[in-house]
Amino acid sequence: MSIKSVLKMGHPTLLSKSEEVSQFDTPELHTLIGDMKDTMTYLNGAGIAAPQIGVLKRVVIFGFENNVRYPSEDSVPFTILLNPTIEPLSEDMEEGIEGCLSVPGLSGSVPRYTKIRYRGFDPEGEAIDRTVTDFHARVVQHECDHLDGILYPARIRDFSTFGFIE
Ligand code: NI
């Protein structure tokens, strides 16, 4: 597998809607996931979505033990999630700082649901069904947005929070 270049905000692919994965456990799918994993690890990402490396498929991966980009957040289990759906379990939303490998050098505060149920499939087609809160819920919402062509700056309400990290 290999490290891919990550598309940056402004590239039209990042604004496109991705297609569902129709076949699980194929060599192409495992190559895509391997490339995503290598690219995410190389860039210290908390997650990555397939369109960020130019593939318009509904595949996201996320998870970390300790992340240098989000040092104060709790760990999130490493997960490969295909064809995800998200159901908010509460109307509550919370502001929190996000960055994105496609928006390098910047961060901003984004409102996200604090408690969600998400469902989807692993690469072999086994069902995933989890109820999660807080940063885990935030990461899933951020990554799944990529599959619908939404980058986090589009969700910012208070632009005074948006700027360069350095
Ligand atoms: Ni992102």
Side-chain angles (χ1 to χ4, degrees), residues 47-49 52 69-70 98-103 142-143 146 150-152:
I48 193 168
Q52 292 182 275
R69 290 164 60 87
Y70 302 96
E98 295 185 17
C100 180
L101 300 179
S102 293
V103 192
H142 175 114
E143 296 311 331
H146 279 295
I150 300 167
L151 297 173
Y152 81 82

Side-chain angles (χ1 to χ4, degrees), residues 72-84:
S72 61
E73 302 294 348
D74 290 338
S75 68
V76 173
F78 181 77
T79 304
I80 303 163
L81 183 65
L82 284 56
N83 300 345

Side-chain angles (χ1 to χ4, degrees), residues 96-123:
I97 297 294
E98 295 185 17
C100 180
L101 300 179
S102 293
V103 192
L106 291 157
S107 69
S109 181
V110 182
R112 299 287 187 187
Y113 291 109
T114 55
K115 186 174 186 187
I116 62 168
R117 178 181 182 183
Y118 67 90
R119 281 176 276 192
F121 299 90
D122 78 5

Side-chain angles (χ1 to χ4, degrees), residues 28-98:
E28 295 77 21
L29 182 60
H30 289 297
T31 300
L32 170 64
I33 290 163
D35 289 347
M36 289 169 66
K37 200 186 289 186
D38 288 351
T39 305
M40 178 176 107
T41 303
Y42 176 69
L43 295 171
N44 294 312
I48 193 168
Q52 292 182 275
I53 60 166
V55 178
L56 287 169
K57 292 280 177 195
R58 300 187 83 79
V59 179
V60 300
I61 69 177
F62 53 84
F64 56 89
E65 276 296 313
N66 300 288
N67 190 283
V68 293
R69 290 164 60 87
Y70 302 96
S72 61
E73 302 294 348
D74 290 338
S75 68
V76 173
F78 181 77
T79 304
I80 303 163
L81 183 65
L82 284 56
N83 300 345
T85 58
I86 294 177
E87 179 190 346
L89 295 180
S90 144
E91 294 289 297
D92 291 346
M93 296 183 97
E94 193 173 67
E95 292 280 340
I97 297 294
E98 295 185 17

